[in-house]
Amino acid sequence: GAGVSQTPSNKVTEKGKYVELRCDPISGHTALYWYRQSLGQGPEFLIYFQGTGAADDSGLPNDRFFAVRPEGSVSTLKIQRTERGDSAVYLCASSLAGINNEQFFGPGTRLTVL
Amino acid sequence: RKEVEQDPGPFNVPEGATVAFNCTYSNSASQSFFWYRQDCRKEPKLLMSVYSSGNEDGRFTAQLNRASQYISLLIRDSKLSDSATYLCVVNPLTGSARQLTFGSGTQLTVLP
């Protein structure tokens, strides 16, 4: 079956612009996660959704970052007033409900802020 | 101090060699432990979970020492296709208890 998909695969923007990154989870997965991976580092947790609600947004770095999942499936990560330090690969993952279910990752969106 | 620490490598080993990676974690309350594999410019994929009793999957063996807060991964008879970055991953059971905490990864290159 289809895995987690993310669009766009690459996004280049200018400092100060607004960007939206999209994630399509595996069908039937109620849990969805966003992570950010900088060069040479492991992924860093941003936010977790269970259904439509953000169950844990403790990893969002500041209020320029926001994510939604209005129908409990597709999620959008929104970044306002982008900064050069936001450049990274943004990874989405999904899993079945349940605390120890495997998280399946998408291919990521590579964001470059010039 | 980082929550999960790994030797970044790189490890360059010949085909057929045995190689071991180590990882330490800081949160003694952590309950779930994993090794993920990440190929260059690809997404991380679960390699194996790590259990207190130790577990083996073919050429891969994972060990957990809770007293020392130490996790290891042993790869025997390494193949060219094992070349990748290996990420040590812990669920620290904070917040929603769903977030995974990743180490920075250890880069392995298996040479012909």
Side-chain angles (χ1 to χ4, degrees):
Chain A
V4 178
S5 62
Q6 292 186 245
T7 54
S9 54
N10 281 283
K11 176 71 178 178
V12 180
T13 191
E14 293 179 343
K15 181 174 178 293
K17 299 288 189 185
Y18 168 82
V19 296
E20 290 190 351
L21 312 178
R22 176 187 166 109
C23 171
D24 260 288
I26 292 172
S27 178
H29 281 191
T30 56
L32 185 145
Y33 316 79
W34 284 98
Y35 292 83
R36 176 169 74 173
Q37 187 171 22
S38 300
L39 192 64
Q41 301 297 316
E44 177 187 24
F45 171 80
L46 296 177
I47 187 169
Y48 152 60
F49 287 89
Q50 181 57 49
T52 60
D56 183 353
D57 63 359
S58 62
L60 294 178
N62 51 60
D63 61 6
R64 295 187 298 105
F65 289 75
F66 188 71
V68 295
R69 195 186 184 199
E71 297 177 358
S73 178
V74 170
S75 176
T76 305
L77 178 66
K78 309 181 181 197
I79 311 174
Q80 298 178 320
R81 304 183 304 281
T82 52
E83 300 177 357
R84 293 194 179 87
D86 298 335
S87 296
V89 176
Y90 288 80
L91 292 162
C92 177
S94 71
S95 75
L96 295 169
I99 197 165
N100 265 332
N101 282 300
E102 180 181 351
Q103 295 185 21
F104 293 85
F105 284 81
T109 293
R110 184 172 299 275
L111 175 66
T112 303
V113 182
L114 301 176
Chain B
R1 181 186 173 190
K2 287 187 177 179
E3 291 185 57
V4 180
E5 298 215 44
Q6 294 182 249
D7 181 343
F11 284 63
N12 298 316
V13 302
E15 264 188 295
T18 296
V19 60
F21 304 139
N22 304 316
C23 164
T24 56
Y25 61 95
S26 60
N27 187 337
S28 59
S30 299
Q31 294 295 319
S32 302
F33 309 90
F34 312 92
W35 284 100
Y36 274 67
R37 171 194 168 127
Q38 186 170 28
D39 293 296
C40 189
R41 300 179 79 87
K42 298 285 190 181
E43 70 272 24
K45 292 185 179 178
L46 179 65
L47 178 66
M48 58 197 304
S49 300
V50 188
Y51 304 114
S52 296
S53 53
N55 48 300
E56 188 173 308
D57 182 1
R59 298 181 293 108
F60 298 84
T61 301
Q63 296 275 357
L64 168 64
N65 184 321
R66 285 186 186 272
S68 302
Q69 295 178 210
Y70 172 95
I71 306 163
S72 65
L73 177 68
L74 183 77
I75 305 175
R76 290 182 300 279
D77 187 24
S78 52
K79 313 290 184 191
L80 296 176
S81 57
D82 294 334
S83 297
T85 296
Y86 290 83
L87 297 159
C88 178
V89 185
V90 173
N91 184 334
L93 289 189
T94 56
S96 63
R98 296 300 192 94
Q99 53 179 279
L100 299 178
T101 300
F102 287 78
S104 296
T106 299
Q107 186 179 343
L108 171 67
T109 301
V110 181
L111 303 168

